[in-house]
Amino acid sequence: MEDRPSWLDRVLAHPVTLLIAVVNVGMFIVVESNGTSTDKTTLLYFGALERSRIWDGQIWRLATAMILHIGWGHLAVNTFFMWGWCVPAERTLGSWRFALAFVLSGIGASAVSMLFHDVVSAGSSGAGFGVIGIILVLFYVRTGNLAAWWAHP
């Protein structure tokens, strides 16, 4: 019988993905202990995205918005689904390149969101969709065409 890594070994093999989940949950706990993550004022205090504040020079919000989540459901769904996409991306790219890709995807998504939506927003969905895009490109490069990718087990 071959030795399979334990679930802890598999989790620890993807340190950036684990760090993203821990930071998201930790920040959520901090926000909830200082108000509620569904209150715009509280979200803005902790760095949520808002167009007027970005134009006023608070560029850092493009990054901080991706570690905030609006409610338990938002946090749970993002963490669950991103785990499934981030692990293979980190395994393929390596931790440092994956971290860079994740952060740049999140900042880019925040910038696009800010340009097209004049609302208070937060979440790591944009970074997650960037990771999905990276996975699709990597599979396309590996298989040579999209039909082969869709047929990939």
Side-chain angles (χ1 to χ4, degrees):
M1 180 179 209
E2 72 181 64
D3 287 334
R4 291 188 59 196
S6 70
W7 69 269
L8 182 59
D9 291 334
R10 290 192 306 269
V11 168
L12 295 177
H14 306 95
V16 175
T17 301
L18 178 60
L19 180 63
I20 291 165
V22 168
V23 168
N24 284 343
V25 171
M27 190 63 181
F28 188 81
I29 291 168
V30 168
V31 171
E32 285 291 322
S33 67
N34 287 283
T36 178
S37 64
T38 58
D39 176 63
K40 288 181 184 180
T41 304
T42 304
L43 286 167
L44 288 169
Y45 178 80
F46 284 100
L49 197 62
E50 184 183 51
R51 181 185 291 172
S52 65
R53 292 172 192 245
I54 301 294
W55 292 133
D56 287 342
Q58 297 178 18
I59 304 292
W60 48 270
R61 289 179 181 277
L62 295 172
T64 56
M66 76 177 133
I67 62 170
L68 294 170
H69 291 83
I70 304 170
W72 286 101
H74 187 212
L75 174 70
V77 167
N78 269 359
T79 303
F80 177 77
F81 284 108
M82 291 207 357
W83 190 268
W85 287 99
C86 290
V87 165
E90 184 173 0
R91 184 182 315 120
T92 303
L93 295 174
S95 294
W96 289 108
R97 288 191 301 177
F98 168 70
L100 181 64
F102 184 88
V103 170
L104 291 178
S105 293
I107 290 171
S110 290
V112 170
S113 177
M114 183 267 312
L115 289 173
F116 293 101
H117 300 102
D118 192 14
V119 296
V120 174
S121 63
S124 54
S125 301
F129 283 116
V131 170
I132 292 169
I134 291 165
I135 291 289
L136 292 175
V137 168
L138 290 171
F139 274 123
Y140 177 77
V141 168
R142 182 173 158 203
T143 60
N145 63 56
L146 288 178
W149 181 83
W150 286 111
H152 191 286

